[in-house]
Amino acid sequence: MSLWTVALHILAVAAAIPKPPGIPMVDIGDESKLATRAVPPYDTVYYFDQLIDHDDPSKGTFQQRYWHTSEYYQPGGPIVFMNAGEVNAAPYYGYVTNSTINGVLAQRYHGSAIVLEHRFFGESNPYPNLNVDSLKLHTIAQAIEDDVYFAQNVVLPQVNGSQLGPDKAPWVLIGGSYPGALVSWTMAAHPDVFWIGYSSSGVVQAQVDFWQYYEPIRENMPQNCSEDVKVVISHVDDVFFGSDSAAQAAVRSNFGLNFTSNEYVAGALRWDLWTWQDMQPNTGPFAAFYQFCDSLEVKDGVSASASGWGLDNAFAAWGNHFRTTYVDLAADCVESDDTDCLNAAHPPSPAAVRSIPLPDDNSASVEKRADYPVDDANRSWFWIVCNELGFSQGGPPLGQGGIVSRLNTVQLYMADCVSTFPEAFSVPPTPSADAVNKAYGGWGVQNDRLFFANGKRDPWREATVSAVNSTAKSTDRQPIGLSNGFHASDLVMRLAAPDQTIVDVQNSFLAYAGEWLAEFS
């Protein structure tokens, strides 16, 4: 396989892989300045003997990694616990520090803090591979039981660590994004284990067709940029759904993709929109998303009005931006015979998830191989998506204007499940999203002492309890805090600090937590 073919393969595959949800990274700076008393380094790794299969304990256990600090602990304090979700958790140990809402809660109420690595991510694997037979134990139900079994059986590496189970100490379950949904789902499945829950940007309502991912982006991006993106996408769809092959070739050529498939082009035009998920309140003007909009809206040093420049300029400008950002960069890598730099031509990686690995010279290995190595977050996440969650991020329904081409369909998205897991699927599957919502409540969840924190500018907002179609109501026992934040902005203190609405949500939770902790006996 030539290097240029490899480059095109990466671009083609990436066109069909949206960003999963994910918690923000934490930069804790100089750790020596954080600790208030002598404790092991925050990045000290501990291991817990977790059940391989909670439905059949006879299968034995595997070692599940976790990080812990008792820096602020005093007898009677809470155990603040987070499942890191769809990532290798090693870079996320900072969530035990007061750089996060987890650590601030532990500090204020004299608790310990824990981060647990999710099964089948990082080095916490029931089996030493990610083969389909192994992944059959990679389910939401098993992940929920992992959290419960850990809380009820772990001997924490601190004074009196064997006497801090949820029957003796108040456990606070915290999560953001998919782990935020796990908070709600776990408390629904086991209402008597975790005393308090905090779900940040929790995607509680599983949805096979999640075209609404782009609605918060459309609503909150610069209006001139939104108008021009809409008019370009409308034009692309008119051409691609039409029968003029010459016009279709002209559209493909505008964006520089040497593909014969219109679907690849339509999928690739989401890449710049996906960079919105990297935005936070402290994001500066040089963020990738703003650079994309500037390339469309700034002409000869003049910015377009709210209505944009219109189709001709936007179509040409987007094509130039796309070729410069992606295709031309890939060509430079090929010319320099530099395989490593191809990753730079890859669209921004999903939140906290590594880029797609380069295929080797055997193209069949992209689809099927004898053994799939562990620590492949993309593969592990996509298994949950294909089987249970869906979350296809395609175009809107006919008649509903949007910023994404309608050529991006659920069927096309789910077809990737067949190519990724050929041992499991011979036809595109239908994820059991309805069963997940029925089992754990979805938007209709009713849990006691559960706080939801969501952001208006979060692209995953429409899967949270703050969605337009959500039936959830905010109460004193299950409050819903809605800020101007992005995705899980409230988890990390430095991300929240520039926006008072996010700080207000954090403070509201901390106040509720104080009241609820006082109720524990």
Side-chain angles (χ1 to χ4, degrees):
M1 181 183 293
S2 71
L3 195 56
W4 178 248
T5 304
V6 169
L8 293 182
H9 177 88
I10 294 172
L11 292 169
V13 171
I17 300 180
K19 286 175 176 285
I23 57 176
M25 292 286 288
V26 182
D27 180 9
I28 63 175
D30 185 355
E31 294 186 26
S32 66
K33 298 178 180 178
L34 288 174
T36 59
R37 65 185 185 193
V39 292
Y42 295 123
D43 61 354
T44 301
V45 181
Y46 302 94
Y47 295 91
F48 174 72
D49 290 330
Q50 183 64 264
L51 293 178
I52 291 174
D53 184 353
H54 293 277
D55 296 323
D56 184 2
S58 68
K59 291 181 179 178
T61 62
F62 70 98
Q63 289 203 309
Q64 191 168 26
R65 294 195 299 178
Y66 72 98
W67 292 259
H68 162 276
T69 186
S70 57
E71 177 181 0
Y72 300 111
Y73 183 78
Q74 295 179 15
I79 308 299
V80 182
F81 173 69
M82 167 184 270
N83 186 313
E86 66 280 36
V87 296
N88 179 317
Y92 293 83
Y93 68 86
Y95 275 90
V96 304
T97 74
N98 62 4
S99 296
T100 66
I101 192 69
N102 312 44
V104 169
L105 179 71
Q107 183 177 24
R108 178 171 298 191
Y109 297 110
H110 312 298
S112 293
I114 302 168
V115 172
L116 180 72
E117 189 166 63
H118 195 294
R119 66 169 48 212
F120 288 103
F121 289 92
E123 297 181 11
S124 297
N125 297 280
Y127 297 111
N129 59 65
L130 297 181
N131 298 345
V132 164
D133 284 344
S134 299
L135 291 174
K136 290 177 181 177
L137 291 175
H138 184 29
T139 65
I140 291 171
Q142 292 283 349
I144 288 172
E145 297 306 318
D146 281 351
D147 287 355
V148 171
Y149 188 79
F150 180 93
Q152 293 177 334
N153 293 277
V154 69
V155 177
L156 294 176
Q158 64 177 84
V159 175
N160 206 32
S162 63
Q163 300 298 314
L164 295 173
D167 58 332
K168 298 179 177 66
W171 280 60
V172 181
L173 182 59
I174 292 182
S177 195
Y178 161 64
L182 277 180
V183 170
S184 180
W185 297 338
T186 301
M187 294 185 74
H190 295 277
D192 298 326
V193 175
F194 295 95
W195 188 248
I196 295 172
Y198 182 80
S199 174
S200 169
S201 294
V203 289
V204 298
Q205 182 78 7
Q207 301 170 58
V208 175
D209 185 357
F210 189 48
W211 64 269
Q212 298 95 331
Y213 174 90
Y214 302 99
E215 286 298 277
I217 303 176
R218 181 185 62 79
E219 295 166 3
N220 292 285
M221 65 193 289
Q223 187 175 346
N224 54 7
C225 190
S226 173
E227 293 299 319
D228 275 342
V229 168
K230 283 191 293 184
V231 74
V232 170
I233 292 300
S234 178
H235 171 67
V236 168
D237 277 0
D238 285 345
V239 172
F240 283 170
F241 279 105
S243 57
D244 188 336
S245 59
Q248 293 174 5
V251 169
R252 293 195 299 270
S253 177
N254 182 65
F255 295 100
L257 295 177
N258 292 338
F259 297 124
T260 57
S261 169
N262 296 335
E263 286 80 8
Y264 280 144
V265 179
L269 294 183
R270 297 174 297 176
W271 293 350
D272 290 302
L273 302 178
W274 286 344
T275 64
W276 180 269
Q277 189 167 310
D278 302 324
M279 302 272 279
Q280 290 293 350
N282 64 348
T283 299
F286 296 105
F289 191 90
Y290 291 142
Q291 293 297 300
F292 161 64
C293 280
D294 284 350
S295 71
L296 270 62
E297 303 310 319
V298 179
K299 182 170 59 173
D300 299 327
V302 178
S303 296
S305 67
S307 60
W309 289 114
L311 176 60
D312 290 345
N313 182 83
F315 183 70
W318 195 346
N320 181 67
H321 165 81
F322 193 91
R323 292 191 304 271
T324 303
T325 305
Y326 302 116
V327 181
D328 286 354
L329 186 54
D332 290 343
C333 294
V334 172
E335 185 176 347
S336 64
D337 198 31
D338 183 359
T339 305
D340 290 338
C341 91
L342 283 171
N343 279 328
H346 189 282
S349 298
V353 178
R354 299 177 307 170
S355 298
I356 301 169
L358 294 174
D360 59 25
D361 288 338
N362 178 10
S363 59
S365 69
V366 176
E367 297 185 352
K368 192 171 183 177
R369 57 194 294 173
D371 208 34
Y372 295 89
V374 300
D375 197 16
D376 183 344
N378 282 306
R379 180 174 174 84
S380 294
W381 170 248
F382 204 47
W383 177 261
I384 301 176
V385 165
C386 293
N387 285 281
E388 299 187 88
L389 296 180
F391 286 138
S392 169
Q393 297 167 20
L398 187 64
Q400 172 76 40
I403 56 177
V404 172
S405 170
R406 287 188 291 108
L407 264 71
N408 297 296
T409 65
V410 173
Q411 292 75 19
L412 188 64
Y413 178 69
M414 299 313 296
D416 289 332
C417 298
V418 179
S419 59
T420 305
F421 306 107
E423 305 90 346
F425 307 113
S426 58
V427 296
T430 300
S432 56
D434 288 343
V436 171
N437 296 331
K438 182 178 180 180
Y440 307 119
W443 285 329
V445 65
Q446 294 183 6
N447 290 324
D448 194 27
R449 298 183 300 276
L450 171 59
F451 191 104
F452 287 103
N454 297 315
K456 293 179 181 178
R457 294 183 285 180
D458 179 7
W460 291 89
R461 186 193 66 203
E462 295 306 297
T464 75
V465 293
S466 295
V468 171
N469 294 323
S470 174
T471 56
K473 304 295 182 184
S474 182
T475 69
D476 280 341
R477 303 306 293 181
Q478 186 176 284
I480 302 173
L482 182 62
S483 71
N484 291 327
F486 292 88
H487 191 58
S489 303
D490 51 280
L491 286 180
V492 182
M493 306 311 288
R494 67 175 176 82
L495 300 183
D499 191 318
Q500 188 59 44
T501 68
I502 306 174
V503 175
D504 290 343
V505 168
Q506 291 177 322
N507 289 337
S508 177
F509 165 65
L510 293 170
Y512 272 110
E515 296 175 10
W516 294 338
L517 287 172
E519 297 173 6
F520 184 83
S521 61

